[in-house]
Amino acid sequence: MPYTVAHDPEKCDGCLNCVKACAETHEGLANCQILTCGGKFVYFSCMQCKKPQCAEVCPTGAMRRENEIVILLRDLCVGCVNCVYACPWGVPRFNPRTGRVGKCDLCHERVASGGKPACVEACPNEALAVKEVKPPAKKAAAAKKAAAKAAAKEG
């Protein structure tokens, strides 16, 4: 299931528990931020781009898009920081503690094993939630039609 982390600014009090939990989970580097905009708190993290520029410039393939999520395979990262400079949102960041880059991967491993992203789990006000991302109706209908056409050819 493609998903994202949804933020409700009406419930957010800016406590930063999400940021602290993220840092604890990712080798001391928080991959999300709480910003202030118009007197409200706003959650900011990786945009999970469909065509991620960060992944395009990664020489080792450590940064890649899999199952609608831009992930970072930490063991393959050599800390070259190409992705840091390529990302228009400034999301990947160099972690001096590890000598590698870090970024939000929606805690896909935790979610795959039945858990929630660290930031969502840590929010005392339920301002963060895992939300399923559904393709637009036109895309879903086109995919269904293409699958039916392919099945007809095979049968």
Side-chain angles (χ1 to χ4, degrees):
M1 143 187 102
Y3 65 97
T4 189
V5 172
H7 178 251
D8 183 348
E10 299 300 323
K11 293 181 179 179
C12 183
D13 66 4
C15 70
L16 302 180
N17 284 357
C18 56
V19 176
K20 292 172 192 166
C22 183
E24 289 171 9
T25 305
H26 295 98
E27 301 173 307
L29 183 69
N31 296 314
C32 61
Q33 300 174 50
I34 295 292
L35 308 171
T36 307
C37 183
K40 296 202 183 244
F41 296 105
V42 180
Y43 175 86
F44 177 75
S45 189
C46 181
M47 306 297 283
Q48 306 301 334
C49 301
K50 289 187 183 202
K51 294 182 181 178
Q53 294 177 32
C54 58
E56 288 179 19
V57 299
C58 181
T60 65
M63 190 84 68
R64 59 181 72 172
R65 184 168 167 81
E66 289 182 8
N67 300 322
E68 307 294 323
I69 299 170
V70 180
I71 66 168
L72 173 67
L73 301 174
R74 288 172 185 82
D75 294 343
L76 294 179
C77 179
V78 295
C80 71
V81 302
N82 287 350
C83 58
V84 172
Y85 295 112
C87 176
W89 305 103
V91 170
R93 295 186 335 194
F94 182 75
N95 187 341
R97 181 186 287 178
T98 64
R100 297 177 292 192
V101 171
K103 68 161 288 300
C104 176
D105 60 6
L106 294 173
C107 290
H108 70 279
E109 291 172 351
R110 290 172 63 114
V111 172
S113 63
K116 294 180 181 177
C119 59
V120 173
E121 196 170 271
C123 183
N125 302 320
E126 297 181 354
L128 297 173
V130 174
K131 180 181 175 188
E132 184 177 357
V133 176
K134 295 182 181 179
K138 286 182 180 178
K139 277 190 178 180
K144 200 173 193 178
K145 187 176 180 179
K149 196 174 190 177
K153 281 184 180 179
E154 291 177 8

